[in-house]
Amino acid sequence: MAAYIAVSALSHEGLLRERNEDSLTVGPWTLCATVTTNPQTLLFPLGPPCLVAVADGLGGHPGGEVASSLVARRLAAAGPGLDGEESVRDALQACNRAVYAAAGGDPGLAAMGTTVAGLVLLDDRAVIFNIGDSRVYRVGGGLRRVSVDDTPPLPPGRRATSVVTQTLGGSLGLTFVEPHVRSAPLAVGDRYLVCSDGLTDPVPEEELSALLARPPAEVERADGRAAFDLWKAAIEAGGPDNITLALVRIGE
């Protein structure tokens, strides 16, 4: 049987935000600053490049939803041509320039910006990338963070901060970014979680790991249920921010 990629995703404004400033890319499909009330599961063949990414518009800045939508759509368009680390870095640099160009053309969008994190799934490897504090986790035998938070060191006892040291856009003038990009082997059975900090700030990693470790009765249905359970955990923890997540599984 041919291997495939299953992605179960949702995006929600949470309980305290007036609107959703997160955006999501899954292959050619984008969900830009829009709320979903239940997980959506999409299937793709394993082989051609398939990009899965979450962009989290900067709160406290104007146009966070504009910046995240712009990046999500540009990555969706670039996705089929992303064949390795260098092309992913180039695409992220192009996104950074595009956010600044859009902000420069509209005074109401000055200093808008967004984080981004995701995967490009190729036939034998995953290219993992991020800028900011949205995250990518490898799921299996626990939960292992494979992205790098662009945040200052945290004092003892604190798990999260609202300070982000690197974003796409986010300043009044064009600022250089250095994307975190790495590759890992990819095989049938591999699972990843891509998410905004609206999930990871209120829900400890130990709880996320426990939710994802529940044995599935039916694998395909379990993906959507697990995505729902993660969202529910963030809501039960107060839902202080927009919550966007994508669960990725390589099946056969």
Side-chain angles (χ1 to χ4, degrees):
M1 295 177 63
Y4 64 90
I5 302 161
V7 185
S8 295
L10 61 79
S11 188
H12 190 271
E13 77 270 34
L15 298 180
L16 301 184
R17 303 289 189 183
E18 292 184 0
R19 62 182 183 273
N20 190 8
E21 296 187 86
D22 289 357
S23 294
L24 176 69
T25 302
V26 182
W29 182 76
T30 59
L31 188 72
C32 296
T34 303
V35 171
T36 53
T37 55
N38 57 285
Q40 308 295 311
T41 299
L42 301 171
L43 301 179
F44 304 90
L46 180 65
C50 179
L51 183 139
V52 180
V54 168
D56 179 355
L58 296 185
H61 291 235
E65 72 280 6
V66 178
S68 71
S69 297
L70 186 157
V71 168
R73 291 188 175 111
R74 286 190 69 98
L75 288 177
L82 300 179
D83 57 2
E85 293 183 22
E86 183 176 355
S87 61
V88 169
R89 287 191 179 91
D90 289 346
L92 294 171
Q93 297 288 2
C95 285
N96 188 48
R97 293 191 296 270
V99 172
Y100 278 107
D106 185 342
L109 298 177
M112 74 173 181
T114 183
T115 71
V116 69
L119 303 158
V120 177
L121 301 157
L122 304 170
D123 57 355
D124 61 350
R125 68 192 189 281
V127 181
I128 302 151
F129 63 87
N130 81 285
I131 296 170
D133 59 353
S134 292
R135 291 179 178 174
V136 182
Y137 290 93
R138 175 75 182 269
V139 182
L143 197 66
R144 182 166 59 90
R145 193 188 314 173
V146 290
S147 56
V148 180
D149 282 357
D150 285 312
T151 56
L154 295 177
R158 273 192 77 181
R159 291 193 304 105
T161 175
S162 60
V163 178
V164 184
T165 57
Q166 185 172 233
T167 59
L168 297 169
S171 304
L172 291 176
L174 178 62
T175 301
F176 176 76
V177 292
E178 190 168 349
H180 305 284
V181 183
R182 55 170 292 194
S183 296
L186 190 67
V188 170
D190 286 354
R191 298 173 76 202
Y192 283 93
L193 168 65
V194 183
C195 60
S196 64
D197 66 347
L199 176 64
T200 55
D201 280 358
V203 186
E205 290 182 347
E206 297 78 13
E207 185 175 347
L208 297 176
S209 180
L211 290 169
L212 289 166
R214 290 179 177 175
E218 297 178 42
V219 173
E220 283 75 11
R221 292 183 62 189
D223 293 338
R225 177 56 193 264
F228 176 84
D229 287 344
L230 295 174
W231 166 81
K232 184 180 177 185
I235 291 295
E236 290 178 345
D241 200 354
N242 305 151
I243 306 156
T244 301
L245 63 98
L247 267 175
V248 180
R249 177 176 52 83
I250 307 303
E252 188 174 58

